[in-house]
Amino acid sequence: MSLVILPLTIQTTAALVSLLGTLLVVSVVVYLFKTSSDYEEKSSAKAKVYRMRDRYFLGLALTILIVLITSLSMLPYPKFHKNPDSVVTVVAMQWLWKMAPEAIAADQDLVAFAGKNEITLPVDKLIEFRVTSADVNHNFAIYNSKGTLIAQTQAMPKYYNNLQYKFTEKGEYEVLCLEYCGMPHAYMVAKIHIE
Amino acid sequence: MIQINTTEKQQHRKLFVTWAITFLILFPVLILLGMLMRIKQGEIIDISMSKFYSFMTLHGLGMAGVLFSIALASLSYLLGTRYSKISVSLGYYVYYGVVIGVVGLVIGTLIGEFGAGWYMLYPLPFKGAYWTDWSLGVSFFSILILGVAWLIQCLHILNSIAKQYGGFKNILGWQYLGKSEPAQELPSIILISAVSVLASVFAVLAGAVMDILFLMQYFEPSLELDPLMMKNIIFFFGHTIVNATMYIGIAWLYAILPEFTGRDWKITKVVAIAWNATFFFILFAYLHHLYMDFVQPLALQYVGQMASYFSSVPATAVTMFGVIGQLYRSKVGWSMVPVMFLLGVAGWAIGGFAAVVDSTIAVNRALHNTLWVPAHFHTYMLMGIVLIIFAFLYYIGANENKDNDIEPGWGFKTFVTGSYGFLLMFYLGGLFSIPRRFSDYAGIDTQVIHETGALLAKIAVVFITFILIGLASMYSTLIKKLLQSLKFQA
Ligand code: HEM
Ligand SMILES: [Cu+2]
């Protein structure tokens, strides 16, 4: 199911599902307002509601089980990673990004690390971004040219978060910082060109 | 249950109305800060970035703190006048503690320009670059004062209800878990108070640990704390305190709604199990804030998603169906209090639903730290717990008598409409990947994000105006009624 104006992405799916949930809640509220004047004796009204509740409970339990099983099998974490085609080191610093197409030693001085806030990478290859920070928490988030957030991971001091992503379309991508990191946080941007 | 005399009740009333008026003053001021943020993001008026983030910090800390405080105060009033002995004089110490804490935060953020966000993610407070050094000390001390005040009140409540209702196991409803019905009935408000206040104690303690570590680092700059551990503590604190605020509100909902519907709402085995399970889930759900920290142990990521999903079961199947059972064909008169309760629970459900969607790791990778996140918690805060708190204020304003409750007027309708419009812009921001905590979107090269973000913020400003107008109209009667309620006779 795809909307005319909106392509099916994680974002649009989440919004559609939430819209359905909201409509369900709204209909229950409207129904309660509408029916409240038809008086029914307490015990019989409650019995009806409890019968509903039992059915709801079973349905909810089943839904949760199914969604958990399906959604917990493909996660963005290292355990699910494959061998990457290339490795990119990303160092976040107040308030810039340093990216270079190489792995770095664990004891490398991150402030001195010479990376650029622009990088060119190949299309259809599995890239592994090794993301860390030289100061505070940042968040390495990649947006495509349509402005959709397509991948992200936190950039944390003292830790490396490895993010794997395969760009399937050539073009310009923008990196934004998605963890508040101080005053010019909203201006901490970088570019990825996919060729 | 206890009986208190008129003088004692008047003393409780006076303390509560003092809290209520303080809340009613701070609430729109904090909304105004939110409005200023959207005004800047919408490029209507330029506000400096440093101001933006100081406003953001005060707005977040202030709202979370003020709502938790008024929730505790409301619960304390109801417990103290009906169920167990709650000290009024201790209540005033807590009140002054909270006031001092809030004043300190106002000074720290608005004068000292402290602006590390309400969650103060370590080590940002120490490396923020623009706020003054003293504002850190003032803010941390103020938070400590708030924490101590809350902790005292929480422990006092727990101690008081445990004494009155047969000990700690009993107030957690464990006597309902056995085969036979317990000899003595436990009022449902006691069970929910126990669960939510105990969760608050855990949260406040975590907050205190964090704050003390911050103070140590403040006085000893060479100290280095582990950023991942700090993140876990911070989100445990923030997530749990905000959830506990909602559950505290639910406690008085269980006690007051039955007065309007004429149907009792008792603890059964199912209710007891549900609330004990809730306690457990509240403590682990915070892990969903760390999904994008790929170095967090994998098992904790699983626990995060499972706890978040499971927490929807008792909340919906027991509490929300309980509300439906209360209202369905009950011939309830739709005056302010029941309407606010129903809409408040609906807002909780809608915001909670959007939260559960986002607590799916596979979804969170696309929504984390976009406007979707504040969208969902503003829903269950503004259209959830805030309404449930206002229901309590109107209930006191009606002198705890349903026949004095007033009809919802245009002010209330404007408030609700404005709120949902404002929230819709928030969700659309999430849908369009607009980042949260951006002072403005002008630094983004991808034009569509910049333009959409600014446009949604602009429209939000219009809706916030409706919110404020609606509130003003509600205030004019509510404050009068609250002040009149001081002069009640038994
Ligand atoms: C009409 C009422 C409100 C308005 C207009 C408003 C507005 C805002 C805005 C514009 C933001 C910044 C969002 C962003 O761009 O990242 C924000 C953040 C926030 N708001 Fe509200 N808000 C309102 C009510 C509330 C309530 C009732 C709470 C209760 C807890 C609350 C708590 C917060 C928190 C915790 C943040 C995050 C601050 C941070 O990121 O450090 N707000 N609000
Ligand atoms: Cu950053």
Side-chain angles (χ1 to χ4, degrees):
Chain A
M1 182 174 61
S2 172
L3 288 178
V4 190
I5 26 163
L6 295 173
L8 198 62
T9 59
I10 303 178
Q11 286 88 349
T12 51
T13 315
L16 272 178
V17 173
S18 302
L19 181 64
L20 292 179
T22 306
L23 290 178
L24 181 70
V25 177
V26 171
S27 14
V28 172
V29 170
V30 170
Y31 182 74
L32 285 174
F33 275 125
K34 283 252 161 78
T35 53
S36 70
S37 51
D38 329 336
Y39 182 73
E40 189 166 328
E41 203 263 320
K42 179 179 84 187
S43 55
S44 78
K46 273 197 172 172
K48 262 194 214 162
V49 173
Y50 286 160
R51 233 174 301 135
M52 276 274 285
R53 182 182 78 177
D54 293 345
R55 254 178 272 156
Y56 168 83
F57 177 77
L58 284 181
L60 182 65
L62 206 67
T63 313
I64 288 183
L65 204 69
I66 293 171
V67 178
L68 277 181
I69 290 171
T70 50
S71 72
L72 284 177
S73 54
M74 263 305 294
L75 300 180
Y77 304 132
K79 194 172 169 285
F80 300 85
H81 283 176
K82 303 194 187 74
N83 248 344
D85 297 314
S86 52
V87 167
V88 175
T89 298
V90 179
V91 176
M93 254 174 89
Q94 285 173 323
W95 289 274
L96 48 91
W97 297 98
K98 298 193 289 191
M99 300 182 283
E102 65 208 40
I104 55 169
D107 58 353
Q108 161 100 39
D109 177 9
L110 295 177
V111 178
F113 173 71
K116 293 217 182 74
N117 75 339
E118 208 162 326
I119 196 167
T120 304
L121 296 170
V123 72
D124 285 329
K125 296 276 188 227
L126 186 63
I127 316 279
E128 177 165 299
F129 295 96
R130 298 193 179 156
V131 183
T132 188
S133 163
D135 40 52
V136 299
N137 288 281
H138 302 269
N139 186 316
F140 178 73
I142 306 172
Y143 281 74
N144 67 17
S145 58
K146 297 189 199 88
T148 305
L149 172 56
I150 54 172
Q152 62 171 317
T153 191
Q154 290 273 320
M156 254 206 274
K158 292 195 189 158
Y159 288 91
Y160 279 90
N161 286 319
N162 298 341
L163 171 71
Q164 290 200 336
Y165 193 78
K166 190 188 265 179
F167 294 88
T168 51
E169 270 175 52
K170 293 184 188 173
E172 302 298 305
Y173 292 78
E174 187 166 14
V175 174
L176 300 181
C177 178
L178 285 205
E179 193 63 68
Y180 172 51
C181 56
M183 192 159 60
H185 157 63
Y187 288 78
M188 187 169 154
V189 296
K191 279 270 143 60
I192 299 176
H193 312 282
I194 300 298
E195 287 184 349
Chain B
M1 289 287 196
I2 53 165
Q3 289 295 331
I4 62 172
N5 63 36
T6 309
T7 335
E8 282 173 322
K9 185 156 183 179
Q10 260 162 349
Q11 288 165 345
H12 278 287
R13 247 315 147 81
K14 197 165 150 217
L15 173 61
F16 178 72
V17 172
T18 313
W19 269 113
I21 301 289
T22 312
F23 163 73
L24 290 174
I25 293 168
L26 290 175
F27 183 56
V29 175
L30 293 167
I31 291 180
L32 216 56
L33 293 173
M35 187 174 191
L36 286 168
M37 284 191 269
R38 284 289 186 257
I39 285 176
K40 156 94 173 155
Q41 290 165 331
E43 298 170 4
I44 300 171
I45 300 173
D46 192 30
I47 296 165
S48 72
M49 285 189 256
S50 58
K51 281 252 161 12
F52 177 92
Y53 288 116
S54 299
F55 291 169
M56 184 184 86
T57 305
L58 182 57
H59 168 81
L61 281 170
M63 282 290 191
V66 165
L67 292 181
F68 182 68
S69 304
I70 184 72
L72 262 191
S74 309
L75 184 68
S76 302
Y77 173 83
L78 204 61
L79 290 175
T81 52
R82 297 185 188 178
Y83 299 94
S84 69
K85 277 200 110 50
I86 298 282
S87 161
V88 172
S89 50
L90 187 74
Y92 277 101
Y93 284 111
V94 172
Y95 174 78
Y96 289 118
V98 169
V99 169
I100 291 170
V102 170
V103 170
L105 284 177
V106 170
I107 294 172
T109 51
L110 294 190
I111 301 174
E113 298 216 296
F114 178 63
W118 94 283
Y119 66 146
M120 303 183 283
L121 201 55
Y122 182 83
L124 182 61
F126 305 97
K127 294 186 176 168
Y130 80 84
W131 45 86
T132 56
D133 198 40
W134 64 262
S135 75
L136 272 185
V138 169
S139 303
F140 295 159
F141 267 114
S142 310
I143 292 170
L144 197 63
I145 295 171
L146 285 173
V148 171
W150 290 334
L151 194 59
I152 290 174
Q153 187 68 13
C154 287
L155 293 176
H156 177 55
I157 291 176
L158 286 176
N159 183 43
S160 150
I161 56 177
K163 243 193 213 152
Q164 187 78 29
Y165 294 95
F168 213 68
K169 281 187 199 156
N170 269 8
I171 57 172
L172 287 173
W174 290 3
Q175 71 277 35
Y176 284 86
L177 303 181
K179 279 223 171 62
S180 54
E181 284 272 305
Q184 217 179 5
E185 225 176 75
L186 184 75
S188 45
I189 184 176
I190 301 298
L191 167 66
I192 304 168
S193 303
V195 166
S196 54
V197 176
L198 192 62
S200 311
V201 169
F202 278 67
V204 174
L205 284 177
V209 168
M210 171 190 103
D211 201 55
I212 289 168
L213 288 172
F214 277 178
L215 280 166
M216 282 162 61
Q217 166 104 66
Y218 178 66
F219 290 113
E220 183 47 63
S222 67
L223 195 71
E224 277 197 32
L225 303 165
D226 179 68
L228 184 59
M229 180 195 73
M230 291 305 283
K231 239 185 209 174
N232 273 281
I233 301 180
I234 286 163
F235 283 115
F236 176 82
F237 161 71
H239 180 90
T240 311
I241 197 97
V242 166
N243 273 261
T245 308
M246 170 57 82
Y247 289 116
I248 291 173
I250 298 300
W252 70 69
L253 170 81
Y254 268 73
I256 297 174
L257 188 56
E259 292 177 18
F260 286 80
T261 60
R263 295 176 176 174
D264 53 9
W265 197 350
K266 288 193 174 133
I267 299 185
T268 58
K269 195 170 188 168
V270 173
V271 173
I273 293 175
W275 281 96
N276 279 274
T278 298
F279 177 70
F280 203 68
F281 299 146
I282 301 183
L283 298 187
F284 290 101
Y286 89 89
L287 288 161
H288 60 219
H289 290 272
L290 284 99
Y291 287 158
M292 290 302 114
D293 295 280
F294 292 6
V295 287
Q296 172 92 333
L298 185 62
L300 294 182
Q301 309 287 23
Y302 285 123
V303 172
Q305 183 171 335
M306 291 194 290
S308 310
Y309 274 47
F310 294 157
S311 65
S312 71
V313 178
T316 56
V318 177
T319 296
M320 292 178 195
F321 266 91
V323 172
I324 295 173
Q326 282 287 316
L327 293 169
Y328 174 66
R329 297 195 165 172
S330 63
K331 261 204 144 119
V332 65
W334 288 113
S335 57
M336 211 54 152
V337 175
V339 167
M340 283 184 158
F341 275 145
L342 175 58
L343 292 188
V345 171
W348 180 29
I350 295 170
F353 193 91
V356 171
V357 169
D358 189 28
S359 74
T360 314
I361 300 169
V363 173
N364 187 260
R365 64 204 284 184
L367 293 180
H368 178 73
N369 279 356
T370 66
L371 286 179
W372 190 274
V373 181
H376 88 256
F377 75 70
H378 278 82
T379 313
Y380 70 61
M381 281 286 155
L382 183 61
M383 282 294 97
I385 186 62
V386 167
L387 286 181
I388 292 172
I389 287 168
F390 269 105
F392 192 81
L393 299 183
Y394 276 96
Y395 179 67
I396 299 300
N399 204 6
E400 303 174 42
N401 179 349
K402 77 178 171 69
D403 299 331
N404 294 339
D405 195 20
I406 57 174
E407 298 297 311
W410 68 266
F412 173 66
K413 287 170 192 157
T414 311
F415 174 61
V416 172
T417 313
S419 295
Y420 273 107
F422 162 68
L423 292 170
L424 181 62
M425 296 306 115
F426 242 135
Y427 283 108
L428 289 178
L431 169 62
F432 293 119
S433 300
I434 313 296
R436 76 183 282 198
R437 300 197 179 105
F438 266 39
S439 57
D440 56 86
Y441 310 107
I444 304 172
D445 277 334
T446 314
Q447 269 313 306
V448 45
I449 313 179
H450 174 185
E451 282 163 11
T452 314
L455 177 66
L456 293 174
K458 231 178 260 163
I459 303 173
V461 171
V462 178
F463 283 117
I464 299 170
T465 314
F466 281 107
I467 294 177
L468 290 171
I469 293 172
L471 271 182
S473 152
M474 285 160 68
Y475 272 32
S476 61
T477 45
L478 178 59
I479 292 179
K480 206 162 45 195
K481 288 189 70 111
L482 280 170
L483 293 177
Q484 274 166 4
S485 82
L486 284 175
K487 295 188 220 101
F488 83 101
Q489 296 297 322

